[in-house]
Amino acid sequence: MNREKILGPSDMADDDDRTLRPQRMADMVGQREVFERLSIAVDAAGKREEPLGHILFDGPPGLGKTTFAICIPRELGVPVEMSSGAALKAPKDLIPYLTNLQTNSVLFIDEIHRIPAAVEEYLYTAMEDFRIDLVLGEGINARTINMTLQPFTLIGATTRAGMLSAPLRDRFQLREHLDFYSDDELSEIVLRNASKLQVSIDDDAAMEIARRSRSTPRIANNRLKCVRDYATSKSDGHISLEIANKALAMWDIDTLGLDKQDRRYLETLLRVFGGGPAGIESIAHTMNTSADTLTDEVEPFLLRSELLIRTPRGRSATLQASTHMDIPITGNTGDNQKELF
Ligand code: ADP
């Protein structure tokens, strides 16, 4: 089919992502212990000409789970099939991936905790015995067909390891947890990616972008792209510390890496609820948003940065939050403090 593809914003984001994503494990910054263990496993599997044991990556979004999953097959010199837990709704959705597998190739399933139980059961025999037993038809006409698969490696990634069933979790030989990155590591990533994007950047500007990137490479990449656009539009394209500071201020990213929504949350908690304790529903109502959005997208970073605490009586801002926002804690005297979180 010769149809021209029109690029939307998400396609362009994908394109940039591809440019910046390390192509080999050795090009990845940080996660040294994970790197060492995987290098040994990859090396040994290559020498034995056997499939690598199944691997599960867990950790918050943007820390390199997919990047590892893409680099590993490259190290092994084998093809990779990519899917996602959300796309595998019924057992039949799994079949094309399993039957397309080549000897020792890799099947990557992102967000693997979203696989429904009925699909998961097919994975058990596939992972353990490289075999699937398909049931065709129903009732007395039902037939079971046993299919032998090529030996393969399943790489699963999840942001919620706790949601994975024990039988599935136990079938992974290697389980690797990815941790947040140090400012030095993120700064190294910013410097390397500036070079990939062909923009010049000063070391102190790279460190400033790193500091405001919540210890997460994906966020550092996004901040770098915003700063690059600002530098291109407002000056000669070079990223100095002054340009980085101005650009980040313009995108509403403050010195701790908080964005507009984070600050609105803290401001609401401090100004309206005296710093708390306040129930999440009350905070969400006041902010005109949903409690889920706040718990999933806003609170994790505030909790990690010790700007917020969760107590049985609700959310409270810390002294550090009060100082950062320059709003005093007066204590919550309203009824909402009775609401449990
Ligand atoms: P996850 O799958 O954990 O959500 P990704 O692997 O997609 O995260 O990482 C997001 C982006 O961050 C990648 O495109 C890559 O550019 C960058 N990145 C992640 N980990 C590293 C790393 N260790 N070194 C360099 N860049 C990284």
Side-chain angles (χ1 to χ4, degrees):
M1 220 188 318
N2 198 7
R3 216 185 311 144
E4 204 178 320
K5 192 175 178 223
I6 298 166
L7 285 182
S10 60
D11 294 307
M12 289 191 270
D14 279 356
D15 248 17
D16 257 351
D17 214 40
R18 258 197 296 277
T19 324
L20 299 186
R21 200 189 286 284
Q23 300 297 305
R24 308 296 299 229
M25 281 207 305
D27 299 334
M28 294 180 74
V29 176
Q31 310 288 356
R32 285 300 91 183
E33 288 175 13
V34 178
F35 170 81
E36 297 292 340
R37 281 192 293 267
L38 290 175
S39 299
I40 289 172
V42 164
D43 190 44
K47 283 183 179 150
R48 283 199 302 265
E49 294 183 18
E50 282 176 4
L52 180 67
H54 305 301
I55 308 173
L56 179 66
F57 289 107
D58 83 87
L63 297 191
K65 298 184 292 299
T66 307
T67 307
F68 267 118
I70 290 175
C71 289
I72 288 170
R74 244 188 228 121
E75 307 290 332
L76 290 164
V78 298
V80 56
E81 299 255 358
M82 305 195 49
S83 186
S84 151
L88 302 170
K89 293 192 183 76
K92 69 172 173 40
D93 299 328
L94 199 55
I95 308 303
Y97 291 104
L98 294 178
T99 49
N100 276 344
L101 289 170
Q102 298 174 26
T103 310
N104 299 346
S105 67
V106 170
L107 170 61
F108 172 54
I109 304 183
D110 200 8
E111 295 297 302
I112 195 165
H113 61 269
R114 296 181 66 182
I115 287 188
V119 180
E120 204 181 290
E121 276 163 29
Y122 279 85
L123 273 185
Y124 297 162
T125 53
M127 289 170 81
E128 225 159 49
D129 307 322
F130 303 125
R131 167 176 76 80
I132 41 172
D133 305 321
L134 286 176
V135 181
L136 298 179
E138 282 180 8
I140 52 164
N141 293 323
R143 282 183 305 141
T144 306
I145 298 180
N146 303 321
M147 275 177 61
T148 307
L149 307 171
Q150 293 298 323
F152 74 103
T153 303
L154 178 68
I155 302 184
T158 178
T159 46
R160 304 211 169 161
M163 278 176 70
L164 232 59
S165 75
L168 181 58
R169 213 172 39 231
D170 293 345
R171 281 174 170 79
F172 287 98
Q173 273 103 314
L174 294 168
R175 280 181 250 165
E176 295 294 353
H177 174 75
L178 298 192
D179 250 323
F180 288 105
Y181 291 65
S182 68
D183 288 347
D184 283 339
E185 288 166 346
L186 278 193
S187 166
E188 173 69 31
I189 291 176
V190 171
L191 288 170
R192 287 185 190 195
N193 288 348
S195 147
K196 284 185 193 168
L197 293 170
Q198 298 180 329
V199 285
S200 58
I201 183 167
D202 291 338
D203 286 354
D204 51 3
M207 181 48 96
E208 193 55 36
I209 295 172
R211 269 197 215 107
R212 299 197 202 188
S213 295
R214 302 162 170 242
S215 319
T216 306
R218 180 179 290 136
I219 297 182
N221 287 349
N222 290 340
R223 307 271 201 253
L224 171 64
K225 284 183 243 164
C226 291
V227 175
R228 172 195 60 170
D229 288 350
Y230 183 94
T232 309
S233 163
K234 298 275 182 192
S235 87
D236 59 359
H238 174 75
I239 303 176
S240 62
L241 179 61
E242 189 193 346
I243 289 286
N245 277 330
K246 280 188 181 160
L248 291 165
M250 195 173 156
W251 297 107
D252 273 318
I253 313 295
D254 74 15
T255 50
L256 294 183
L258 304 186
D259 62 22
K260 217 174 180 170
Q261 200 178 16
D262 302 323
R263 279 199 308 280
R264 241 189 98 216
Y265 180 104
L266 288 180
E267 192 182 343
T268 306
L269 183 56
L270 284 159
R271 210 182 285 290
V272 182
F273 299 96
I280 186 67
E281 293 291 347
S282 308
I283 301 170
H285 281 315
T286 311
M287 288 177 69
N288 201 15
T289 182
S290 79
D292 283 348
T293 309
L294 296 183
T295 38
D296 291 349
E297 292 173 23
V298 181
E299 290 189 335
F301 180 61
L302 298 179
L303 289 162
R304 187 154 57 82
S305 316
E306 299 179 3
L307 296 166
L308 179 73
I309 47 173
R310 280 173 71 161
T311 72
R313 292 170 59 220
R315 272 65 168 170
S316 291
T318 62
L319 204 56
Q320 196 192 333
S322 157
T323 312
H324 181 67
M325 297 299 295
D326 199 17
I327 306 172
I329 292 175
T330 53
N332 185 10
T333 50
D335 275 349
N336 46 53
Q337 66 175 316
K338 294 192 199 93
E339 183 195 331
L340 296 180
F341 72 114

